[in-house]
Amino acid sequence: MTPSIHFTLSFSEPQAHYVEVQMHIKSFTAFDYIDLKMPVWAPGSYLIREYPKNIERFSVSSTDGKELKAYKTSKNTWRVDHKKNDIIVKYAVYAFENSVRTSHIDYSHAFLSPVGVFMYIHGYLYLPCDITVNPPPHWSKISTGLERASTSNSYHAANFDILYDSPLEIGNQDTWSFEVEGVPHEFAMVGIADYDREQLSADVSKIVAEENSIWGSNPNQHYTFVTHNYQNAHGGLEHLNSTILAASRYTYSQPNTYKAYLSLVAHEYFHLWNVKRLRPTALGPFDYEQENYTTGLWIMEGFTSYYDNLIIRRCGFYNEREYLQQLAIDFNTVYNRPGYELQSAAMSSFDTWIKQYRPDENSHNTSISYYNKGAMLAVAMDLKIIADTQGKYRLDDVLKAAYKQFYLIENRGFEEEELLRLAEQVTGVDLQKIFQAAHSLEELDYNIYFNRVGYQLVDHNAGQSHATLGIKVAHSEGKSIIKQVDRASGAWLGGLNVEDELIAINGHRIDPQGKALDHILTQAKVHDTVNVLIARDGIVSTLEITVLQSDKKAFSIEAIPNIEASTAALGKLWLSL
């Protein structure tokens, strides 16, 4: 008989943040024992999160109720002595971490991130499984990308890769549906928020249609958007045919924050193709027990970060000025981190497991984000293709061709060199320099690309003299605490530390509003020396710090006046609706 697995989820103590899991394994006779494992990370969020730490009350029995021996062999492995065809595994999962990648349960709802809930049999990720949800009586809805089974509140996954890519929202969320080009889309809003159903449906439909046109086809039979509304939140995580978003409940009433939310929707929906299907070789099939390394996240996340706001522009939500402001943020973010001189986009991708999700007080000095740097490289590539081909091709054409070749035809991941070759074949444009820049600390001259379509990257701080200590200060409870020290700044060279309490400079008491600090820096000249009174670990001391020239950038992207009509036409094509 073919082995089968059936999970049952119950919630006897949702107010205490628990889900009880029963795993019924039938007709599995391969060995004298079974190793049951739980993933330690979530695809799309590249950090070992140690989900097994939340497992409690693990037990195994035969179907006649006889307890079977089980013991742990590693942090995420439970070995079960297996001399029965059918066994029942029971365990509870504690879930009380609010994020798009971790489970959260309380009296009002349960959000289940499957990697931290469902165990698998080692070596048998390909087995299908069924899931039955037994919600408390006061919960009435389930939102998920899983396929519905024939019985109420039951679902089916063809294998564990699909199960792990299909989170569940269970509770009383506000749900409604709409179709875009024949594909039904469900919206699920969790928590109180002032949104307009019809407006959201109309606006998101535009985004979906625009992305369909970029990629050429939509791979889904159905799609689910789940948004968790909090007082303060922003983020998302992509899945095979769903996404989990987090937003402030006040997002929808203000134009700027609402457009940012639509950009988040565009970003996560773009991942349907870019990373969930078109992907580097290393990103699938997954090893759920350890890091899956790739240097290609600058393509997967960086290109997606370039397109999210561009799609909002193409849909008409951003005007040209607003879009260019958003694009300039990527340049300011990268070039105002000293770490851009130490870490390439490719290395940022590779080191995401130890850096991106584990920032510390020195991260800005040692690293960049492949999101921002990848977006910068993507715009350079897009503009070069547009200019070199006089608008015949653009980056859209590369992505569509790559999706067709690597996913639809060959159904495999790609290597970066393969993507480069395909991009050059499709467009006839030499893109080697831009791909090399992703793996190098040598910076591109981005104005070479912007100028060819009639725009320029302008640093408004260039030629200006701004004195700085090179510190970032947080004011709390009447104290001013140093939170960052910039590499090679006066503070760095003079020995100021993160967590030093800043008391006074040149005899001026530092106030919580920062007015004294601003006044001193305004009056100081570059290379002046100031006396800084600090408290470090309860000891008061004075340090002499040299004020240096600020190297902070203030970029904007602006149209070049009086350009040739042909150049202006290329810029219009780039930013066209």
Side-chain angles (χ1 to χ4, degrees):
M1 295 180 64
T2 303
S4 67
I5 299 175
H6 188 274
F7 290 98
T8 302
L9 305 178
S10 302
F11 302 86
S12 64
E13 298 180 296
Q15 82 290 344
H17 323 302
Y18 282 98
V19 56
E20 294 86 35
V21 182
Q22 177 177 290
M23 181 183 187
H24 190 177
I25 303 173
K26 298 181 181 179
S27 305
F28 190 86
T29 58
F31 306 104
D32 289 336
Y33 66 85
I34 294 176
D35 279 345
L36 297 175
K37 290 181 175 286
M38 175 163 281
V40 299
W41 69 284
S45 181
Y46 307 101
L47 175 69
I48 301 299
R49 296 188 180 275
E50 309 294 17
Y51 293 111
K53 71 180 183 294
N54 296 317
I55 302 300
E56 302 177 15
R57 293 170 268 165
F58 183 92
S59 66
V60 187
S61 64
S62 59
T63 52
D64 60 7
K66 182 179 179 180
E67 184 175 351
L68 300 179
K69 183 179 179 182
Y71 53 96
K72 292 191 74 171
T73 61
S74 72
K75 65 181 181 181
N76 69 319
T77 308
W78 288 258
R79 178 161 291 178
V80 179
D81 284 348
H82 178 246
K83 297 178 182 177
K84 301 280 187 180
N85 285 346
D86 294 2
I87 62 172
I88 296 175
V89 182
K90 295 181 179 180
Y91 55 93
V93 181
Y94 179 76
F96 197 54
E97 183 177 350
N98 259 332
S99 82
V100 295
R101 63 194 67 87
T102 51
S103 299
H104 181 271
I105 303 170
D106 61 22
Y107 186 78
S108 66
H109 85 126
F111 167 63
L112 302 183
S113 177
V115 286
V117 174
F118 299 104
M119 294 186 182
Y120 66 96
I121 301 172
H122 179 56
Y124 290 84
L125 282 166
Y126 62 84
L127 286 179
C129 58
D130 295 294
I131 305 95
T132 298
V133 181
N134 295 325
H138 63 286
W139 294 353
S140 62
K141 294 181 180 178
I142 301 173
S143 299
T144 180
L146 288 169
E147 299 296 330
R148 291 188 177 274
S150 55
T151 56
S152 177
N153 293 344
S154 293
Y155 301 86
H156 177 75
N159 55 59
F160 276 79
D161 287 315
I162 291 176
L163 176 61
Y164 289 147
D165 217 6
S166 304
L168 296 98
E169 176 64 35
I170 310 163
N172 298 306
Q173 60 271 22
D174 181 23
T175 60
W176 71 94
S177 297
F178 54 92
E179 280 196 10
V180 184
E181 299 175 357
V183 178
H185 290 70
E186 177 185 319
F187 239 84
M189 283 291 197
V190 183
I192 297 171
D194 186 19
Y195 51 86
D196 183 320
R197 277 183 167 199
E198 291 187 5
Q199 187 70 53
L200 269 172
S201 298
D203 292 345
V204 172
S205 293
K206 290 181 182 178
I207 292 170
V208 172
E210 177 61 32
E211 296 194 11
N212 285 346
S213 71
I214 292 171
W215 293 96
S217 62
N218 193 301
N220 290 320
Q221 298 299 312
H222 56 86
Y223 190 88
T224 302
F225 294 96
V226 177
T227 302
H228 294 131
N229 293 288
Y230 305 108
Q231 184 173 6
N232 293 295
H234 184 79
L237 187 61
E238 70 277 1
H239 296 282
L240 194 66
N241 65 345
S242 64
T243 185
I244 307 301
L245 310 172
S248 166
R249 64 175 58 99
Y250 310 114
T251 286
Y252 313 96
S253 58
Q254 299 297 321
N256 288 341
T257 54
Y258 181 58
K259 291 172 187 177
Y261 174 78
L262 293 179
S263 179
L264 175 63
V265 169
H267 183 103
E268 302 305 337
Y269 202 84
F270 201 81
H271 276 314
L272 266 184
W273 299 272
N274 199 40
V275 90
K276 299 314 300 182
R277 291 167 175 85
L278 175 64
R279 57 175 177 77
T281 303
L283 295 185
F286 294 115
D287 182 340
Y288 294 101
E289 294 192 80
Q290 61 185 349
E291 295 88 345
N292 292 221
Y293 292 104
T294 176
T295 59
L297 292 178
W298 68 274
I299 300 170
M300 312 324 296
E301 290 292 357
F303 282 30
T304 304
S305 294
Y306 168 58
Y307 270 96
D308 53 20
N309 286 321
L310 185 61
I311 288 162
I312 300 306
R313 165 60 187 161
R314 290 182 185 178
C315 291
F317 302 122
Y318 280 145
N319 60 35
E320 180 178 315
R321 177 186 57 81
E322 290 172 322
Y323 169 67
L324 294 176
Q325 285 176 340
Q326 293 299 316
L327 182 57
I329 288 172
D330 291 312
F331 289 86
N332 285 309
T333 299
V334 169
Y335 287 136
N336 283 324
R337 291 175 67 98
Y340 86 87
E341 296 183 316
L342 298 180
Q343 189 182 56
S344 68
M347 189 50 64
S348 174
S349 303
F350 192 85
D351 278 348
T352 184
W353 297 93
I354 57 174
K355 290 183 178 288
Q356 176 71 20
Y357 294 95
R358 287 177 173 157
D360 61 27
E361 71 284 348
N362 200 42
S363 292
H364 74 296
N365 286 319
T366 62
S367 64
I368 58 169
S369 169
Y370 47 80
Y371 285 81
N372 306 115
K373 190 60 179 289
M376 291 162 57
L377 293 164
V379 69
M381 200 175 303
D382 196 12
L383 298 183
K384 180 171 174 57
I385 294 170
I386 290 171
D388 279 9
T389 67
Q390 289 298 296
K392 181 179 179 181
Y393 296 108
R394 61 179 311 169
L395 189 55
D396 295 29
D397 300 289
V398 173
L399 295 180
K400 185 184 294 185
Y403 174 66
K404 179 180 179 181
Q405 183 64 38
F406 298 124
Y407 178 71
L408 294 178
I409 296 176
E410 299 183 26
N411 192 24
R412 66 174 178 88
F414 65 85
E415 300 297 335
E416 287 182 54
E417 186 64 30
E418 290 182 299
L419 182 63
L420 170 60
R421 288 199 302 269
L422 182 142
E424 292 182 336
Q425 289 168 6
V426 168
T427 64
V429 175
D430 182 357
L431 299 169
Q432 183 76 32
K433 185 175 182 179
I434 296 174
F435 270 77
Q436 287 177 341
H439 293 261
S440 170
L441 295 179
E442 184 177 346
E443 288 297 312
L444 296 172
D445 181 351
Y446 287 93
N447 265 329
I448 289 176
Y449 306 100
F450 281 114
N451 291 172
R452 294 189 66 195
V453 297
Y455 288 84
Q456 58 186 336
L457 186 67
V458 179
D459 178 11
H460 296 276
N461 282 347
Q464 302 292 316
S465 180
H466 298 290
T468 183
L469 294 176
I471 58 176
K472 183 177 181 180
V473 178
H475 306 283
S476 178
E477 297 180 351
K479 295 183 178 180
S480 299
I481 308 297
I482 297 175
K483 292 299 181 182
Q484 281 187 0
V485 177
D486 289 345
R487 180 181 297 275
S489 66
W492 173 284
L493 298 172
L496 286 176
N497 290 352
V498 169
E499 299 305 326
D500 286 349
E501 181 188 353
L502 197 59
I503 300 174
I505 298 179
N506 286 350
H508 291 271
R509 183 76 166 89
I510 300 301
D511 59 298
Q513 291 75 35
K515 293 180 180 179
L517 181 57
D518 290 343
H519 172 75
I520 291 164
L521 291 176
T522 300
Q523 298 301 311
K525 294 182 175 62
V526 174
H527 301 306
D528 281 356
T529 298
V530 295
N531 294 314
V532 181
L533 183 67
I534 63 167
R536 180 181 297 169
D537 192 32
I539 303 298
V540 176
S541 61
T542 300
L543 296 177
E544 287 190 354
I545 305 297
T546 301
V547 177
L548 297 180
Q549 169 72 36
S550 173
D551 61 358
K552 297 301 182 185
K553 312 296 184 183
F555 284 117
S556 66
I557 300 169
E558 302 173 2
I560 301 172
N562 303 318
I563 56 173
E564 293 183 1
S566 58
T567 302
L570 294 178
K572 185 176 180 180
L573 173 65
W574 172 44
L575 298 179
S576 60
L577 299 179

